[in-house]
Amino acid sequence: MVANTGYTTSTPSRISAGVSISAPKKNSFPEIGLRVNGALFYYLYDDIQLTKTVPGALVVLNAAKAKIKGADVDAEYHPGDVITLTMGLSYVDGEYSRFPDGPVYIPNPAGGNFADSDDLSGNRILRSPRWSGNVGAKVGVPFASGKVTATTNVYYSGDFYWESENRLRQDSYVLVNGEVEYQPNDAPWRVWLYGRNLTNKKYSTYSESGATGDLLTAAPGRLVGVGCGVKF
C-alpha cells in the first residue's frame, strides 16, 4: 500500500488494473410491449483505488486485490397505451481478496478515533449493497383540456459499509417517490405536485470515519412540493 492513515506520503498511488468478464443480454418483444435487459459480470482488480481522509489531506491509496461478481436486470412493460411499468434488480458480491495493512480508525473512549492499520482481506467492497432494485409505474390519461400523468417509484437498497474497514454500516432502506403532472393541450406550461421520501425514511447519504470522530450526513426527510415549468 502506498498511503496510510495518520500521515501523508509523497509516494504516488499506483494505477489500478482490472480484468472484466461480462455477458450482456438484450431482449425486446414489441408484440407484447416488453423489453428486458440483463447482464452477468465478473471483475478482478489489482491495486484497486480508494480515497481516505487523513488529518490535513485526502489521499488515494490502493487495496491489493479485489473481486466483484454479480448480475443485473431491468425491464419495461407497456400493457396499454396509458400505462408503463418498469423494474430493475441488481446483485453485487464484492470483496477485497487481499488487503493487508488496510487503513482503520478505532474509536477512542475519550473522543475521536485512533488511526491504525489491519488486515482487511475478505471485507466487503465499500458502498456496494448486495441487493438493490426498483419498481415504478407511469400512467398518462388524456382529457379534453390536457393530459394528467402520474408516476411512482419504489427503490430498495440493501445494507452496505461506507468504508473498507467495514465498521460504519448503512442499514437497508426503502424510498417511495411520486409525482402528478398536468400538461394542458397546445400550451407551453405545465404544473406538477411531487413527493420525495414519502415514508420519511431515515438514512445517510454519506458517512466517513476520521481522527476527530465519525461523520454522518443525514438524507432529507419527507419532501412535498409544487413545481411549474414553461417551454420557450
Side-chain angles (χ1 to χ4, degrees):
M1 189 172 65
V2 295
N4 275 316
T5 55
Y7 65 92
T8 57
T9 175
S10 60
T11 306
S13 176
R14 296 185 296 272
I15 299 299
S16 60
V19 176
S20 65
I21 301 174
S22 60
K25 181 68 174 177
K26 297 183 178 181
N27 291 291
S28 182
F29 308 94
E31 64 277 6
I32 59 173
L34 177 64
R35 177 189 56 80
V36 180
N37 298 327
L40 300 174
F41 53 86
Y42 187 82
Y43 303 121
L44 294 174
Y45 290 96
D46 187 24
D47 295 329
I48 187 172
Q49 292 184 342
L50 55 93
T51 59
K52 185 71 175 178
T53 301
V54 301
L58 179 67
V59 298
V60 178
L61 48 86
N62 295 84
K65 295 181 183 296
K67 58 183 178 181
I68 303 173
K69 58 185 176 181
D72 60 67
V73 61
D74 65 85
E76 186 174 295
Y77 178 49
H78 301 270
D81 294 335
V82 301
I83 301 176
T84 300
L85 304 176
T86 59
M87 66 79 64
L89 182 64
S90 175
Y91 173 76
V92 178
D93 181 12
E95 69 173 29
Y96 300 103
S97 52
R98 185 174 181 274
F99 196 175
D101 299 321
V104 299
Y105 274 109
I106 302 173
N108 182 355
N113 294 312
F114 293 116
D116 203 348
S117 62
D118 199 359
D119 186 359
L120 305 183
S121 303
N123 280 12
R124 287 170 58 182
I125 297 289
L126 77 170
R127 304 175 193 173
S128 298
R130 281 200 171 95
W131 290 99
S132 62
N134 67 88
V135 293
K138 180 178 181 180
V139 180
V141 181
F143 293 92
S145 61
K147 184 178 182 180
V148 175
T149 303
T151 60
T152 185
N153 181 267
V154 180
Y155 170 76
Y156 169 79
S157 171
D159 66 278
F160 61 88
Y161 292 99
W162 286 103
E163 298 177 305
S164 55
E165 64 184 271
N166 283 191
R167 183 172 65 84
L168 299 181
R169 179 175 179 267
Q170 170 62 57
D171 293 333
S172 61
Y173 61 90
V174 175
L175 297 180
V176 180
N177 301 318
E179 183 175 297
V180 178
E181 177 189 276
Y182 174 67
Q183 172 72 63
N185 293 328
D186 303 321
W189 60 272
R190 61 189 180 96
V191 62
W192 61 92
L193 171 69
Y194 63 90
R196 304 287 183 264
N197 192 8
L198 291 172
T199 60
N200 201 32
K201 182 65 178 178
K202 293 179 174 59
Y203 66 102
S204 301
T205 58
Y206 182 77
S207 188
E208 184 181 52
S209 59
T212 58
D214 297 333
L215 170 69
L216 184 150
T217 302
R222 182 187 298 113
L223 176 65
V224 178
V226 176
C228 61
V230 179
K231 290 184 179 181
F232 294 96

